[in-house]
Structures are given as structure tokens and as C-alpha cells.
Amino acid sequence: MTNTEKKSSDSVAPNTPVSLQSGSRLSLDGLLSRVRITELERKPLTGSFDLDHLKKTHAYIFQDFDHYPGAVQKVSPGQVRGDSRIWMKPRTLEGTDVQYDVMYATQHVGQKASEALETFHQLGGVKELAGLSLREAGNRLADLYADLDYAHVFEEGNSRTLRSFVRSVARKAGFDLDWTRTGVTQESRNQLYVARDVAVIERAFPGMTEARALEDEGMGYMAFQTLTQLRELQGKRDLGAIISAGLTRLEPTPQATPEIQSGRSVFGRIVDSFFRKPATEVRQEPSGVAPEKAPSPERHESPGPSVPKPSDRSPGPGF
């Protein structure tokens, strides 16, 4: 992934959740990360969609290893990579002979990611996103994804982390972002690679033209050639269009409506439950037998209306 090719021969630390040698670790990496991503889909992490939130997402997905497979240096999940002279990734589109390199940020990558997230919040963040149309929301999420992808905060696992993170942003705004629509077929996966890589290279070399490329015989010229090639493959299927196609608006959860009985209001029924006197039981006499008369009460002066005790008129909980 970088200008320096290193193979990690680290030993597995004791008490590591999965104690495997490097080859086996790589084979299990995809399986374990998919399990963790599914868990995040069911119960997203809480956070403010800042750099710390992004780091926690990466740490959660790759928590099953002492450090994630494929990393050039031994770094822990959630750890931001350091500065480098060059950081690029070779890409080969599936089922084709198209090959190219993608160039990412090399300096202060954590700061670049923080600035990208701050820009998203300055544009209204989740609240503003919720009021946009599907296409507008897709474009806004595509900008956020591309900015973070260019920063490439972690040594490995950036794509999986960003898909989970951006999906949680969309869900918070009332959308469901289904990434499986972009990975069902070889063609759809290649479309996502191309659109994503075009957005990243444009951020690495903003405003790159043929004239500027001819003046720069190094990375700039290579970037211009790559962009020219990828834009022809991309057509109108940019990253915003791809994300928009995977967006649906979530239906609000219906709330149960309390049943109103006999036309009485809820307040009226509560009052009745506290102050209504219990009904007097009437003894049923056998048929043909006259009920006994109650003895006449002795006459005495009425002491006046009775005053209920405080416990008798306590409103109880809920008032």
C-alpha cells in the first residue's frame, strides 16, 4: 500500500481474541470484520460524527486482532497512521487488465479527516442532510466519503470503516444506505472503485489540467493520465450517483395511540379511578322472598360534611 513493501512477521500476543499466524489471520480478517460491521448496523455506536467517532468505528470493526492484518507497521485498531513521503495503493479492476495507482494524503491525515468532518457539520450536518432529496443527500454523503477516503486515516481497513461510518451518518438523518447494491456484481464493484478513486485523485491533485501535467513529469503527470482514463470509464456514474442509488428514506416508527373508552378522556378516567366510590354490593335474595328492611337509623345531629384524610385524596403517581 505504501512506497515501502514490508511483510509483518509479528507474533501473536497472549490473550489475543484470535491467536493465529499471519496467513490465517488474513483469511479470517474479512469474516470477522463482516460480523462486526453487521453488529454496528444493528446497534450503531453513539458519537458526534467526529474523528474520535471514526476511530472508535475502526477499533470496533477490527477489535478481534491485536493489530489488524495487512498493516505495514504494528499499530492498534483505531490508531491514526503517521506521516509518510508517499502513500498510494495499486488498483486492478476485476476481470480487466486496467491497472492504476491511487494517491492519498501523506501529511497530517488525522487533521485532514477532522477538517472534512467539520466542513460537513458547518454545512448543517445530519439535520441539514435529513431535509435533502435522495440525490442531494447522496452528493453530500459522497463528498464526505471522498474527503475521508483521501485522508485515509488508517493503515488498513479504511474502506470498511468508511462504509460503516457513512451509513451511520445516513441513518441518523433518516436514510438507509445499502452498500450491497454497489457490490453485487463485478461490474457494480468496478463502478464503485472507479468513482471513488476519481474523487480521491481529484482531491490529491485539485485542478489538474494537461498543461499543468506536462510541467510536472512526476506524480502530477501520472495522476492526469489516470484521471483521463478513469473518467472515460466512469461516464456519468459518479460517486454521488452511486450512493444515491443505494439510499432509501426510512419510514418513521408508528406510535401506539391510547384507546379512548366510552367517550371519556384519559384525564377523566384517571380522576374517576381515584375519587369514584366503590359500588355497593346488592345481595340477591331468592325469588319469592322479600328483602329484609334495614333498621331505621337513630336520629342525631349531623356533625357536618366529612373531610377526607390526606391519604384518601392523594393524586398518586402520574400527576
Short mmCIF file of all heavy atoms in Angstrom, two decimals, residues 107-152:
data_model
loop_
_atom_site.label_atom_id
_atom_site.label_comp_id
_atom_site.label_asym_id
_atom_site.label_seq_id
_atom_site.Cartn_x
_atom_site.Cartn_y
_atom_site.Cartn_z
N GLN A 107 0.51 13.76 4.78
CA GLN A 107 0.85 14.52 5.98
C GLN A 107 -0.42 14.89 6.75
O GLN A 107 -1.43 15.25 6.16
CB GLN A 107 1.60 15.80 5.61
CG GLN A 107 2.85 15.58 4.76
CD GLN A 107 3.98 14.95 5.55
OE1 GLN A 107 4.25 15.33 6.68
NE2 GLN A 107 4.66 13.98 4.94
N HIS A 108 -0.32 14.81 8.08
CA HIS A 108 -1.39 15.28 8.97
C HIS A 108 -2.75 14.70 8.58
O HIS A 108 -3.75 15.43 8.44
CB HIS A 108 -1.47 16.80 8.97
CG HIS A 108 -0.13 17.48 9.14
ND1 HIS A 108 0.62 17.36 10.28
CD2 HIS A 108 0.58 18.27 8.29
CE1 HIS A 108 1.75 18.05 10.16
NE2 HIS A 108 1.75 18.61 8.95
N VAL A 109 -2.83 13.40 8.43
CA VAL A 109 -4.06 12.78 7.94
C VAL A 109 -5.19 12.88 8.95
O VAL A 109 -6.37 13.01 8.57
CB VAL A 109 -3.80 11.31 7.56
CG1 VAL A 109 -2.80 11.23 6.41
CG2 VAL A 109 -3.29 10.50 8.74
N GLY A 110 -4.87 12.83 10.24
CA GLY A 110 -5.91 12.98 11.25
C GLY A 110 -6.52 14.37 11.20
O GLY A 110 -7.75 14.53 11.31
N GLN A 111 -5.69 15.38 11.01
CA GLN A 111 -6.18 16.75 10.90
C GLN A 111 -7.05 16.92 9.66
O GLN A 111 -8.09 17.60 9.70
CB GLN A 111 -5.00 17.73 10.86
CG GLN A 111 -5.41 19.19 10.73
CD GLN A 111 -4.20 20.11 10.66
OE1 GLN A 111 -3.11 19.75 11.08
NE2 GLN A 111 -4.41 21.30 10.12
N LYS A 112 -6.64 16.30 8.55
CA LYS A 112 -7.43 16.40 7.32
C LYS A 112 -8.81 15.76 7.50
O LYS A 112 -9.82 16.27 7.01
CB LYS A 112 -6.68 15.75 6.16
CG LYS A 112 -5.54 16.58 5.60
CD LYS A 112 -4.85 15.88 4.46
CE LYS A 112 -3.88 16.81 3.73
NZ LYS A 112 -2.82 17.33 4.61
N ALA A 113 -8.86 14.63 8.21
CA ALA A 113 -10.14 13.99 8.46
C ALA A 113 -11.02 14.86 9.36
O ALA A 113 -12.23 14.98 9.13
CB ALA A 113 -9.92 12.62 9.10
N SER A 114 -10.42 15.47 10.37
CA SER A 114 -11.18 16.35 11.27
C SER A 114 -11.75 17.54 10.50
O SER A 114 -12.89 17.95 10.73
CB SER A 114 -10.28 16.84 12.41
OG SER A 114 -9.93 15.79 13.29
N GLU A 115 -10.95 18.10 9.60
CA GLU A 115 -11.42 19.24 8.80
C GLU A 115 -12.56 18.83 7.88
O GLU A 115 -13.52 19.60 7.68
CB GLU A 115 -10.25 19.80 7.98
CG GLU A 115 -9.18 20.48 8.83
CD GLU A 115 -7.94 20.84 8.04
OE1 GLU A 115 -7.86 20.43 6.85
OE2 GLU A 115 -7.06 21.53 8.59
N ALA A 116 -12.48 17.62 7.31
CA ALA A 116 -13.56 17.14 6.44
C ALA A 116 -14.86 16.99 7.23
O ALA A 116 -15.94 17.37 6.75
CB ALA A 116 -13.17 15.81 5.81
N LEU A 117 -14.77 16.46 8.43
CA LEU A 117 -15.96 16.28 9.27
C LEU A 117 -16.50 17.62 9.75
O LEU A 117 -17.71 17.82 9.84
CB LEU A 117 -15.62 15.37 10.46
CG LEU A 117 -15.35 13.91 10.07
CD1 LEU A 117 -14.62 13.18 11.19
CD2 LEU A 117 -16.65 13.20 9.75
N GLU A 118 -15.60 18.54 10.05
CA GLU A 118 -16.03 19.88 10.46
C GLU A 118 -16.77 20.58 9.33
O GLU A 118 -17.78 21.26 9.55
CB GLU A 118 -14.81 20.70 10.90
CG GLU A 118 -15.17 22.08 11.44
CD GLU A 118 -13.95 22.86 11.91
OE1 GLU A 118 -12.87 22.25 12.00
OE2 GLU A 118 -14.10 24.07 12.17
N THR A 119 -16.27 20.43 8.10
CA THR A 119 -16.96 21.01 6.95
C THR A 119 -18.36 20.44 6.80
O THR A 119 -19.32 21.18 6.52
CB THR A 119 -16.15 20.74 5.66
OG1 THR A 119 -14.87 21.36 5.77
CG2 THR A 119 -16.88 21.28 4.44
N PHE A 120 -18.50 19.14 6.99
CA PHE A 120 -19.83 18.51 6.92
C PHE A 120 -20.77 19.12 7.95
O PHE A 120 -21.94 19.42 7.64
CB PHE A 120 -19.69 17.00 7.16
CG PHE A 120 -21.00 16.28 7.29
CD1 PHE A 120 -21.79 16.02 6.18
CD2 PHE A 120 -21.46 15.85 8.54
CE1 PHE A 120 -23.01 15.36 6.30
CE2 PHE A 120 -22.66 15.19 8.67
CZ PHE A 120 -23.44 14.95 7.55
N HIS A 121 -20.29 19.33 9.16
CA HIS A 121 -21.14 19.92 10.21
C HIS A 121 -21.44 21.39 9.93
O HIS A 121 -22.54 21.87 10.21
CB HIS A 121 -20.47 19.76 11.58
CG HIS A 121 -20.45 18.35 12.08
ND1 HIS A 121 -21.62 17.65 12.39
CD2 HIS A 121 -19.44 17.49 12.33
CE1 HIS A 121 -21.31 16.44 12.80
NE2 HIS A 121 -20.00 16.32 12.77
N GLN A 122 -20.49 22.12 9.35
CA GLN A 122 -20.72 23.52 9.01
C GLN A 122 -21.79 23.66 7.94
O GLN A 122 -22.50 24.69 7.88
CB GLN A 122 -19.42 24.17 8.54
CG GLN A 122 -18.41 24.40 9.66
CD GLN A 122 -17.08 24.93 9.15
OE1 GLN A 122 -16.82 24.94 7.94
NE2 GLN A 122 -16.23 25.39 10.05
N LEU A 123 -21.94 22.65 7.11
CA LEU A 123 -22.98 22.67 6.07
C LEU A 123 -24.35 22.24 6.61
O LEU A 123 -25.29 22.11 5.85
CB LEU A 123 -22.58 21.75 4.91
CG LEU A 123 -21.38 22.21 4.08
CD1 LEU A 123 -20.97 21.15 3.07
CD2 LEU A 123 -21.71 23.53 3.36
N GLY A 124 -24.43 22.03 7.90
CA GLY A 124 -25.71 21.67 8.51
C GLY A 124 -25.73 20.28 9.11
O GLY A 124 -26.66 19.92 9.81
N GLY A 125 -24.72 19.49 8.79
CA GLY A 125 -24.60 18.17 9.39
C GLY A 125 -25.80 17.27 9.12
O GLY A 125 -26.44 17.32 8.07
N VAL A 126 -26.11 16.47 10.11
CA VAL A 126 -27.19 15.48 9.99
C VAL A 126 -28.54 16.16 9.82
O VAL A 126 -29.39 15.71 9.05
CB VAL A 126 -27.18 14.55 11.22
CG1 VAL A 126 -28.43 13.67 11.24
CG2 VAL A 126 -25.92 13.69 11.24
N LYS A 127 -28.75 17.26 10.53
CA LYS A 127 -30.04 17.96 10.47
C LYS A 127 -30.32 18.46 9.06
O LYS A 127 -31.44 18.32 8.54
CB LYS A 127 -30.05 19.12 11.46
CG LYS A 127 -31.39 19.83 11.56
CD LYS A 127 -31.37 20.90 12.62
CE LYS A 127 -32.72 21.61 12.73
NZ LYS A 127 -32.70 22.68 13.76
N GLU A 128 -29.32 19.05 8.42
CA GLU A 128 -29.49 19.54 7.05
C GLU A 128 -29.65 18.37 6.08
O GLU A 128 -30.45 18.43 5.14
CB GLU A 128 -28.29 20.39 6.66
CG GLU A 128 -28.27 20.86 5.22
CD GLU A 128 -29.31 21.94 4.93
OE1 GLU A 128 -29.84 22.52 5.91
OE2 GLU A 128 -29.59 22.19 3.75
N LEU A 129 -28.89 17.32 6.31
CA LEU A 129 -28.95 16.15 5.44
C LEU A 129 -30.34 15.55 5.41
O LEU A 129 -30.81 15.08 4.36
CB LEU A 129 -27.93 15.10 5.93
CG LEU A 129 -27.76 13.84 5.09
CD1 LEU A 129 -27.17 14.17 3.73
CD2 LEU A 129 -26.87 12.84 5.83
N ALA A 130 -31.03 15.57 6.56
CA ALA A 130 -32.35 14.95 6.65
C ALA A 130 -33.37 15.62 5.73
O ALA A 130 -34.34 14.98 5.30
CB ALA A 130 -32.84 15.00 8.10
N GLY A 131 -33.17 16.90 5.40
CA GLY A 131 -34.13 17.61 4.58
C GLY A 131 -33.83 17.60 3.09
O GLY A 131 -34.56 18.20 2.31
N LEU A 132 -32.78 16.91 2.69
CA LEU A 132 -32.39 16.88 1.29
C LEU A 132 -33.09 15.76 0.53
O LEU A 132 -33.54 14.78 1.12
CB LEU A 132 -30.87 16.70 1.16
CG LEU A 132 -29.99 17.78 1.81
CD1 LEU A 132 -28.52 17.45 1.60
CD2 LEU A 132 -30.31 19.17 1.25
N SER A 133 -33.16 15.90 -0.77
CA SER A 133 -33.68 14.83 -1.62
C SER A 133 -32.65 13.69 -1.65
O SER A 133 -31.51 13.84 -1.20
CB SER A 133 -33.93 15.34 -3.04
OG SER A 133 -32.70 15.69 -3.66
N LEU A 134 -33.04 12.55 -2.21
CA LEU A 134 -32.13 11.41 -2.26
C LEU A 134 -30.87 11.75 -3.04
O LEU A 134 -29.76 11.39 -2.64
CB LEU A 134 -32.83 10.21 -2.90
CG LEU A 134 -33.97 9.56 -2.08
CD1 LEU A 134 -34.55 8.38 -2.84
CD2 LEU A 134 -33.48 9.12 -0.71
N ARG A 135 -31.00 12.43 -4.17
CA ARG A 135 -29.82 12.77 -4.97
C ARG A 135 -28.94 13.79 -4.25
O ARG A 135 -27.72 13.67 -4.24
CB ARG A 135 -30.24 13.30 -6.34
CG ARG A 135 -29.05 13.64 -7.25
CD ARG A 135 -28.18 12.41 -7.49
NE ARG A 135 -26.78 12.72 -7.72
CZ ARG A 135 -26.12 12.45 -8.83
NH1 ARG A 135 -26.74 11.87 -9.85
NH2 ARG A 135 -24.86 12.75 -8.94
N GLU A 136 -29.58 14.79 -3.64
CA GLU A 136 -28.80 15.79 -2.91
C GLU A 136 -28.10 15.17 -1.71
O GLU A 136 -26.93 15.47 -1.44
CB GLU A 136 -29.71 16.93 -2.46
CG GLU A 136 -30.26 17.78 -3.59
CD GLU A 136 -31.33 18.74 -3.12
OE1 GLU A 136 -32.01 18.44 -2.10
OE2 GLU A 136 -31.50 19.79 -3.76
N ALA A 137 -28.81 14.30 -1.01
CA ALA A 137 -28.20 13.62 0.13
C ALA A 137 -27.06 12.71 -0.32
O ALA A 137 -26.02 12.62 0.33
CB ALA A 137 -29.26 12.81 0.88
N GLY A 138 -27.24 12.04 -1.46
CA GLY A 138 -26.18 11.20 -2.00
C GLY A 138 -24.93 12.00 -2.33
O GLY A 138 -23.80 11.56 -2.06
N ASN A 139 -25.10 13.18 -2.90
CA ASN A 139 -23.96 14.04 -3.21
C ASN A 139 -23.25 14.50 -1.94
O ASN A 139 -22.01 14.55 -1.89
CB ASN A 139 -24.42 15.25 -4.02
CG ASN A 139 -24.83 14.89 -5.43
OD1 ASN A 139 -24.44 13.85 -5.96
ND2 ASN A 139 -25.62 15.75 -6.06
N ARG A 140 -24.04 14.86 -0.93
CA ARG A 140 -23.43 15.32 0.33
C ARG A 140 -22.65 14.21 1.01
O ARG A 140 -21.54 14.43 1.51
CB ARG A 140 -24.55 15.84 1.26
CG ARG A 140 -24.07 16.47 2.57
CD ARG A 140 -23.34 17.78 2.35
NE ARG A 140 -24.16 18.74 1.63
CZ ARG A 140 -25.04 19.56 2.22
NH1 ARG A 140 -25.22 19.52 3.53
NH2 ARG A 140 -25.73 20.44 1.50
N LEU A 141 -23.21 13.01 1.01
CA LEU A 141 -22.51 11.87 1.60
C LEU A 141 -21.29 11.47 0.77
O LEU A 141 -20.27 11.04 1.32
CB LEU A 141 -23.47 10.69 1.74
CG LEU A 141 -24.59 10.84 2.78
CD1 LEU A 141 -25.58 9.69 2.66
CD2 LEU A 141 -24.02 10.91 4.19
N ALA A 142 -21.39 11.62 -0.54
CA ALA A 142 -20.25 11.31 -1.42
C ALA A 142 -19.08 12.25 -1.14
O ALA A 142 -17.92 11.82 -1.12
CB ALA A 142 -20.68 11.39 -2.88
N ASP A 143 -19.37 13.53 -0.93
CA ASP A 143 -18.31 14.48 -0.60
C ASP A 143 -17.63 14.11 0.71
O ASP A 143 -16.39 14.15 0.82
CB ASP A 143 -18.88 15.90 -0.51
CG ASP A 143 -19.24 16.48 -1.87
OD1 ASP A 143 -18.70 15.99 -2.88
OD2 ASP A 143 -20.05 17.42 -1.93
N LEU A 144 -18.43 13.75 1.70
CA LEU A 144 -17.88 13.36 2.99
C LEU A 144 -17.02 12.10 2.84
O LEU A 144 -15.90 12.02 3.36
CB LEU A 144 -19.00 13.12 4.00
CG LEU A 144 -18.58 12.60 5.38
CD1 LEU A 144 -17.65 13.61 6.07
CD2 LEU A 144 -19.80 12.30 6.25
N TYR A 145 -17.55 11.12 2.12
CA TYR A 145 -16.81 9.87 1.93
C TYR A 145 -15.48 10.12 1.22
O TYR A 145 -14.43 9.62 1.64
CB TYR A 145 -17.66 8.89 1.12
CG TYR A 145 -17.06 7.51 1.00
CD1 TYR A 145 -17.53 6.45 1.77
CD2 TYR A 145 -16.01 7.25 0.12
CE1 TYR A 145 -16.96 5.18 1.67
CE2 TYR A 145 -15.43 6.00 0.01
CZ TYR A 145 -15.92 4.97 0.79
OH TYR A 145 -15.34 3.72 0.70
N ALA A 146 -15.52 10.89 0.15
CA ALA A 146 -14.30 11.13 -0.64
C ALA A 146 -13.26 11.91 0.16
O ALA A 146 -12.06 11.62 0.08
CB ALA A 146 -14.65 11.87 -1.92
N ASP A 147 -13.70 12.90 0.93
CA ASP A 147 -12.77 13.66 1.75
C ASP A 147 -12.07 12.77 2.77
O ASP A 147 -10.86 12.87 2.99
CB ASP A 147 -13.49 14.79 2.48
CG ASP A 147 -13.92 15.92 1.54
OD1 ASP A 147 -13.36 16.02 0.43
OD2 ASP A 147 -14.84 16.69 1.91
N LEU A 148 -12.85 11.88 3.42
CA LEU A 148 -12.27 10.97 4.41
C LEU A 148 -11.42 9.89 3.75
O LEU A 148 -10.40 9.46 4.30
CB LEU A 148 -13.39 10.33 5.24
CG LEU A 148 -14.19 11.29 6.14
CD1 LEU A 148 -15.33 10.54 6.81
CD2 LEU A 148 -13.28 11.93 7.18
N ASP A 149 -11.83 9.46 2.56
CA ASP A 149 -11.06 8.44 1.84
C ASP A 149 -9.72 9.01 1.42
O ASP A 149 -8.69 8.31 1.47
CB ASP A 149 -11.86 7.96 0.63
CG ASP A 149 -11.32 6.65 0.07
OD1 ASP A 149 -10.54 5.97 0.77
OD2 ASP A 149 -11.69 6.30 -1.06
N TYR A 150 -9.69 10.25 0.99
CA TYR A 150 -8.42 10.88 0.62
C TYR A 150 -7.50 10.99 1.83
O TYR A 150 -6.29 10.72 1.73
CB TYR A 150 -8.67 12.26 0.01
CG TYR A 150 -7.41 13.09 -0.10
CD1 TYR A 150 -6.35 12.67 -0.90
CD2 TYR A 150 -7.27 14.29 0.61
CE1 TYR A 150 -5.19 13.41 -1.00
CE2 TYR A 150 -6.11 15.03 0.52
CZ TYR A 150 -5.07 14.59 -0.27
OH TYR A 150 -3.91 15.32 -0.36
N ALA A 151 -8.05 11.35 2.98
CA ALA A 151 -7.24 11.41 4.20
C ALA A 151 -6.68 10.04 4.54
O ALA A 151 -5.55 9.92 5.03
CB ALA A 151 -8.07 11.96 5.36
N HIS A 152 -7.47 8.99 4.31
CA HIS A 152 -7.03 7.61 4.53
C HIS A 152 -6.36 7.48 5.90
O HIS A 152 -5.17 7.21 6.03
CB HIS A 152 -6.07 7.18 3.41
CG HIS A 152 -6.43 5.88 2.78
ND1 HIS A 152 -7.63 5.67 2.14
CD2 HIS A 152 -5.76 4.69 2.70
CE1 HIS A 152 -7.68 4.44 1.67
NE2 HIS A 152 -6.55 3.81 2.01
#
